[in-house]
Amino acid sequence: MKRYVYDFADGRAEEADLLGGKGAGLAEMTRLGLPVPPGFTVTTEACRFFLAQGHVPEGLDWEIDDRLATLEATMGRDFGDPDEPLLLSVRSGARFSMPGMMDTILDLGLNDVTVTGFAKSLGQERAAWDCYRRLVQMFGATVLGVPDRLFDDAITAQRKRRGAASDIELTTEDLRELTGIFRRILCDEVGRDFPQDPREQLRLAVRAVFRSWQGERARVYRRREGIPEDLGTAVNVQAMVFGNLGPDSGTGVAFTRDPATGRPGVYGDYLAEAQGEDVVAGIRNTVPLQRLAELDPSCHRELLGHLHVLEEHYRDLCDVEFTIERGRLWILQTRIGKRTAEAAFRIAAQLVVERTISLDEALLRVNGEQLTRLMVPRFTAAADHAPLATGLAASPGAAVGAAAFSSAEAVRRSAAGQRVVLVRPETSPDDLPGMLAAEAVLTSRGGRTSHAAVVARGLGKVCVCGAESLRVEPGHERFTTADGTVVSAGDVISVDGTLGTVHLGALPLTDSPVSAHLLGGLPEVEDSDTVDLVGAVGMMLQHADRSSRMQVRANADTPEDAAKALTLGARGIGLCRTEHMFLGERRQLVEDMVLADTASGRDAALARLLPLQRGDFEAILAAMDGLPVTVRLLDPPLHEFLPDRTALAVSVAADRAAGRPVSPDRERLLAAVERMHEENPMLGLRGVRLGLLVPGLVAMQVRALAEAVAARRLVGGDPHAELMVPLVDTVEELRQVRKEVDRVLAEVSTETGVPVDLPLGTMIELPRAALTAGTIAAEAEFFSFGTNDLTQTTWGLSRDDAEAAFLTAYLERGILRVSPFETLDTEGVGRLVELGVREGRATRPHLGTGVCGEHGGDPASIRFFHRAGLDYVSCSPLRVPVARLEAGRAAVSAS
Ligand code: ADP
Ligand code: MG
Ligand code: MG
């Protein structure tokens, strides 16, 4: 018979698919001999069965009873025993950790009878009633679906009645009364009392945890993190230990290194006289872990030992939950800790230096999204601006936004296009949508391991938490600072998650230290954290460059951009657009060329453009000396360089109406603009079509480039220019362009005495070009996939129109998971890329292949391009480091 339940002692870390991450971790720690309260895990398979069939697999309850009997024997206590009851926790735990997204129920097994026995066995009546009221509350919320708020309100009311400043001041009698109030809430809300039979409690709890996989917040979280919908959660049933038995008890969270900054050394929060979620819920303020060394030196020492064992074992940052019950330490959970981008790089590098992991492994532990985050700007000297308040720097970065005081408000404002800062006293899992919508999260309560902090770090959002001097009043949509400043909904504030400060208004931004370093600037004053971080980034990039098969080039149109790209590590230019070389003062020359009625007039205009283009090319080739520079012939339709049709028509009409003379030049200009007007310019006379139909245009551009190459050679340079033809549909277009190119090259070679030969390639940016790549490769020495146009033409959507009108709706409705303009659509557009590479190489084995759309800088797309076998990706200069990192990671993970 199939097994659905495993003792912790029988599982292993490798079985996370079946046991969930938490179950596998508990099993692994049990095996390592750590003090884990015993228990067992119901598999994810049982959950999948339940979700599909609507009932648990046959025999599951029997199997659970059987394991429970073993647990009772181990503990020497029986579940439901009136004198000395065993209490259980029932905990969710999926394959991938989803902190706080699903449900846990503690203290299962209490009822009106066992609570008395439990009190006696503890010798503590108050603690027993504290557990009972927690059970009714968690059971009510999780199993019966009663809104948590009702219980919270009841506790607050009870505290007020008793004049208690915090929960620990409530007396036994208060808690007994509260339990009764909670039970009345259950009756009122769902028409049933709290079940007294412990076995029924357990059965219902297990099913509720299964069901919590499909809860709203779990779904939102999975969508965001890309966790598959069909994994299901395991359920861990475990003997309870109690952190709420007095000052010699407590509960805490510890990390083996600082997950916010990556600083070495253990780090965490501790809360005496507390159970379960008290630490993360931010209801009372925690103390830093170092304080435990004074409160309970022996437990502290023991904990450090366990943390060391765990980090050695998992070879990574571990995040650990622990509880101290009357001076005895218990470990309740471990997992690989979530961390900020900064911590990810620093920890990976530290572990390499400590010889715990290899450079390859380190490279796979960081990613391009994180590097992007490290390159976003910081506030210019936030320290110089008096803050509204200071809290804990829980998740670094700089964010500016309008204050929003509820999750719904944050979502609404962000949908309306505003940048938002979510401000709450503390956050709960229900605030997830608002946190996703916000740039930053600010709370007045809670430590660095509070819900707000943990979730924000996981999402890469800026967070300042525990800004205690703020009075946050969500009901009034405002917060008040210590000196009485009132900030209302919609007021703009700046949150510095690196310093932990909040400021009124929008503070100015500056380059991040990582960007500054990559760009070659070395600010003089630097703290050791910054030095460590830039060192770690450097180490990863260096290893990425060593490992990658694909080259990274940049899209750059000016010598300045070329130089910048080079500093950022680009190995050439994959796309040099010539259009800007037709703008500014040169626009008049374009106009002259278009308006010329004679061939000689047109040639004269082109001849005046020639030296200007040549100058640009020379400067770019100088900046990229020794490296490839791919120059694309003019792509956009000519009317983009002419005045706006409507404006011109109106002004000419106005002059006529007023009887003012209209110059023949303007008449001709208007006629030309009208003649060139296109209904759908994206699919009109542009790209190679323009080059073929405007006499002299290609020749001028080729000549400018060839002369620039010759000039560079004559001064001892090493230019590697390549010519790229845009928007080719058929090989015949390319053949005709090639004739022209060959003719001009021959001329320039003769004139200059420098033999100039430019490789000629084409963009593959139309489906037809990809489909006929085998034929086109006969005329092309390289292909560069223009994935922007290729995406537009494959999908039949214009990017600007789609983004303005309906892309958001498509994403919201789940028709699209990501925008195909951000991450390459591998199923559709990607197949055209693969086909193009394959058939192109079949014709020409040494065909060069690259990509020059924006996808060239997108991490997920880069991984695909590696698999598709491309030689290089080209992206905007600032994305170059990210692309280098991802190209390296792609190579390492494929090997
Ligand atoms: P999450 O996945 O949200 O972290 P957990 O299942 O870890 O949820 O449990 C929630 C809280 O209850 C945690 O603080 C955990 O340490 C505590 N807890 C879980 N099991 C026990 C237990 N057997 N004894 C005491 N506390 C427990
Ligand atoms: Mg936990
Ligand atoms: Mg294009």
Side-chain angles (χ1 to χ4, degrees):
M1 210 176 108
K2 175 161 246 131
R3 232 179 120 179
Y4 288 107
V5 186
Y6 292 81
D7 274 341
F8 292 164
D10 295 343
R12 282 181 170 271
E14 300 76 52
E15 292 172 311
D17 283 340
L18 190 65
L19 304 176
K22 195 182 288 169
L26 288 165
E28 194 70 8
M29 290 195 293
T30 304
R31 225 167 47 82
L32 289 172
L34 266 52
V36 176
F40 52 85
T41 303
V42 184
T43 63
T44 55
E45 202 179 355
C47 176
R48 289 193 293 271
F49 185 104
F50 176 81
L51 294 175
Q53 309 292 324
H55 59 88
V56 299
E58 212 187 303
L60 180 70
D61 289 320
W62 177 87
E63 218 183 318
I64 290 177
D65 276 348
D66 184 53
R67 291 298 89 211
L68 182 55
T70 311
L71 183 58
E72 289 174 328
T74 313
M75 298 299 292
R77 291 173 172 218
D78 288 345
F79 191 52
D81 184 89
D83 297 325
E84 222 190 333
L86 169 67
L87 302 194
L88 300 176
S89 70
V90 173
R91 320 169 62 184
S92 57
R95 169 74 182 85
F96 300 103
S97 106
M98 301 167 55
M101 294 305 146
M102 287 176 301
D103 293 319
T104 288
I105 304 163
L106 304 180
D107 305 312
L108 227 76
L110 286 173
N111 58 29
D112 294 347
V113 178
T114 56
V115 68
T116 313
F118 182 53
K120 279 211 195 90
S121 74
L122 287 180
Q124 288 203 24
E125 219 185 345
R126 185 189 176 281
W129 279 97
D130 186 43
C131 289
Y132 194 16
R133 71 90 190 164
R134 285 171 190 271
L135 171 60
V136 177
Q137 176 177 354
M138 280 185 267
F139 194 92
T142 301
V143 181
L144 303 177
V146 176
D148 236 336
R149 181 177 44 82
L150 298 179
F151 301 111
D152 289 340
D153 291 351
I155 300 177
T156 311
Q158 182 77 340
R159 267 211 314 258
K160 272 219 186 97
R161 261 195 306 276
R162 302 297 169 170
S166 92
D167 296 358
I168 44 175
E169 285 172 33
L170 293 173
T171 63
T172 309
E173 201 38 52
D174 297 339
L175 293 168
R176 192 199 305 273
E177 236 178 71
L178 201 52
T179 313
I181 296 171
F182 283 0
R183 284 171 68 175
R184 273 199 299 286
I185 293 178
L186 300 195
C187 294
D188 291 348
E189 287 295 309
V190 292
R192 70 168 291 181
D193 195 0
F194 176 71
Q196 293 289 310
D197 175 4
R199 307 245 159 201
E200 186 186 356
Q201 293 170 10
L202 180 57
R203 271 198 305 277
L204 292 174
V206 168
R207 286 157 175 78
V209 171
F210 282 162
R211 232 174 266 125
S212 71
W213 174 259
Q214 291 185 321
E216 179 60 19
R217 49 187 149 97
R219 277 170 196 270
V220 172
Y221 188 83
R222 285 197 293 270
R223 213 173 304 142
R224 154 92 194 197
E225 296 290 302
I227 298 174
E229 282 296 306
D230 54 3
L231 299 177
T233 180
V235 182
N236 301 289
V237 178
Q238 186 178 32
M240 281 298 299
V241 292
F242 302 94
N244 54 343
L245 300 187
D248 58 350
S249 304
T251 181
V253 177
F255 293 85
T256 54
R257 294 170 201 244
D258 186 334
T261 63
R263 256 174 239 149
V266 301
Y267 171 99
D269 291 331
Y270 180 71
L271 187 60
E273 294 191 62
Q275 190 179 76
E277 309 281 14
D278 293 359
V279 185
V280 292
I283 40 181
R284 275 186 278 141
N285 276 318
T286 54
V287 299
L289 197 60
Q290 294 88 296
R291 280 274 292 138
L292 183 61
E294 297 150 38
L295 296 170
D296 189 338
S298 114
C299 278
H300 183 255
R301 216 174 312 115
E302 190 189 340
L303 178 64
L304 295 192
H306 296 327
L307 291 177
H308 184 71
V309 168
L310 286 171
E311 207 189 68
E312 292 262 288
H313 186 71
Y314 284 99
R315 303 159 67 240
D316 201 355
L317 164 73
C318 291
D319 162 350
V320 170
E321 288 175 5
F322 66 94
T323 282
I324 295 175
E325 179 179 322
R326 287 176 175 153
R328 178 152 181 210
L329 175 68
W330 295 95
I331 307 292
L332 293 176
Q333 183 175 329
T334 193
R335 62 181 167 224
I336 304 293
K338 303 231 183 245
R339 66 205 73 183
T340 60
E342 185 173 337
F345 275 88
R346 287 183 66 186
I347 292 172
Q350 286 159 17
L351 292 173
V352 170
V353 173
E354 292 164 20
R355 299 187 177 280
T356 305
I357 61 174
S358 68
L359 270 166
D360 278 1
E361 278 177 289
L363 190 54
L364 295 179
R365 288 192 187 175
V366 295
N367 61 46
E369 284 87 356
Q370 290 166 334
L371 185 54
T372 308
R373 242 174 264 152
L374 292 179
M375 293 182 67
V376 300
R378 303 275 160 101
F379 289 125
T380 322
D384 299 348
H385 298 80
L388 289 172
T390 301
L392 301 170
S395 184
V400 177
F405 290 87
S406 70
S407 175
E409 175 74 6
V411 171
R412 208 175 50 73
R413 284 183 184 271
S414 138
Q418 266 184 23
R419 292 176 176 278
V420 186
V421 175
L422 179 65
V423 185
R424 301 283 301 160
E426 74 247 335
T427 62
S428 77
D430 293 331
D431 293 320
L432 184 66
M435 297 179 79
L436 285 172
E439 308 294 316
V441 183
L442 168 64
T443 69
S444 56
R445 289 203 290 262
R448 262 180 264 238
T449 54
S450 64
H451 178 268
V454 172
V455 175
R457 274 199 296 273
L459 299 177
K461 304 275 179 180
V462 174
C463 179
V464 170
C465 63
E468 288 174 52
S469 67
L470 297 182
R471 202 169 75 238
V472 181
E473 299 168 285
H476 293 98
E477 302 244 312
R478 67 177 182 212
F479 69 77
T480 314
T481 67
D483 70 1
T485 310
V486 175
V487 173
S488 310
D491 291 352
V492 171
I493 53 176
S494 300
V495 181
D496 189 324
T498 315
L499 290 177
T501 53
V502 191
H503 306 260
L504 194 59
L507 294 191
L509 295 160
T510 182
D511 275 351
S512 77
V514 170
S515 294
H517 271 263
L518 292 172
L519 284 164
L522 298 161
E524 347 51 272
V525 265
E526 289 201 286
D527 55 296
S528 62
D529 282 333
T530 308
V531 172
D532 202 47
L533 174 62
V534 295
V537 170
M539 183 196 278
M540 298 308 144
L541 282 174
Q542 207 178 47
H543 188 60
D545 290 342
R546 257 198 312 264
S547 311
S548 56
R549 193 209 69 231
M550 280 194 305
Q551 254 184 14
V552 177
R553 299 191 191 173
N555 300 346
D557 310 338
T558 62
E560 296 75 46
D561 272 358
K564 189 175 183 181
L566 200 60
T567 312
L568 290 167
R571 305 298 299 150
I573 293 181
L575 174 63
C576 173
R577 302 178 195 84
T578 49
E579 23 285 17
H580 95 276
M581 302 174 183
F582 285 74
L583 292 173
E585 291 157 14
R586 306 172 184 183
R587 201 166 141 150
Q588 187 56 53
L589 299 178
V590 179
E591 231 175 82
D592 294 350
M593 171 180 82
V594 172
L595 295 185
D597 342 280
T598 60
S600 63
R602 189 181 49 237
D603 288 349
L606 283 168
R608 268 177 294 154
L609 275 168
L610 176 74
L612 302 172
Q613 283 235 292
R614 184 177 55 222
D616 292 331
F617 291 143
E618 259 191 79
I620 291 172
L621 288 170
M624 277 285 164
D625 199 54
L627 295 171
V629 173
T630 307
V631 173
R632 179 179 72 184
L633 297 177
L634 191 65
D635 182 28
L638 275 184
H639 68 68
E640 281 196 12
F641 305 95
L642 298 180
D644 177 67
R645 173 179 172 231
T646 317
L648 185 63
V650 167
S651 99
V652 168
D655 283 358
R656 280 200 190 110
R660 280 189 297 268
V662 177
S663 76
D665 269 0
R666 280 180 71 222
E667 297 265 16
R668 272 172 32 213
L669 184 59
L670 179 59
V673 170
E674 306 245 283
R675 192 170 62 238
M676 277 189 230
H677 173 74
E678 292 177 315
E679 287 305 328
N680 200 341
M682 184 187 108
L683 302 176
L685 182 62
R686 52 170 284 216
V688 66
R689 302 160 195 168
L690 195 66
L692 289 170
L693 295 187
V694 177
L697 184 57
V698 168
M700 183 277 287
Q701 290 207 284
V702 174
R703 173 171 283 274
L705 184 59
E707 289 180 358
V709 167
R712 288 290 310 149
R713 289 241 186 89
L714 288 172
V715 297
D718 182 20
H720 287 260
E722 305 176 339
L723 256 181
M724 182 158 80
V725 184
L727 218 73
V728 163
D729 251 324
T730 151
V731 68
E732 194 48 37
E733 289 168 318
L734 203 54
R735 224 172 256 147
Q736 298 204 6
V737 170
R738 182 178 279 281
K739 256 192 227 142
E740 181 90 340
V741 169
D742 286 348
R743 186 178 60 73
V744 176
L745 290 182
E747 279 172 21
V748 174
S749 301
T750 322
E751 288 158 20
T752 60
V754 180
V756 181
D757 185 20
L758 300 177
L760 181 74
T762 180
M763 294 196 63
I764 302 288
E765 53 185 338
L766 295 171
R768 192 180 190 285
L771 293 168
T772 59
T775 324
I776 290 179
E779 292 294 330
E781 282 155 82
F782 62 88
F783 282 175
S784 178
F785 292 89
T787 50
N788 295 346
D789 270 316
L790 191 58
T791 299
Q792 298 199 89
T793 49
T794 301
W795 283 76
L797 336 142
S798 121
R799 171 175 191 160
D800 292 344
D801 293 329
E803 282 178 348
F806 56 85
L807 208 58
T808 318
Y810 261 42
L811 291 166
E812 267 163 17
R813 292 202 200 168
I815 298 172
L816 295 176
R817 233 173 51 76
V818 286
S819 160
F821 296 107
E822 271 165 36
T823 293
L824 191 87
D825 152 41
T826 53
E827 281 173 34
V829 180
R831 286 192 63 196
L832 289 172
V833 173
E834 286 167 331
L835 180 89
V837 171
R838 195 172 55 241
E839 302 201 344
R841 285 200 183 133
T843 301
R844 186 190 287 265
H846 295 293
L847 178 80
T849 55
V851 62
C852 64
E854 252 138 279
H855 299 102
D858 170 67
S861 310
I862 292 172
R863 295 192 274 272
F864 171 81
F865 295 134
H866 175 88
R867 289 198 301 279
L870 298 193
D871 298 324
Y872 69 86
V873 294
S874 188
C875 57
S876 72
L878 282 175
R879 303 289 301 171
V880 164
V882 171
R884 285 163 59 199
L885 190 79
E886 287 295 347
R889 293 182 71 239
V892 166
S893 67
S895 66

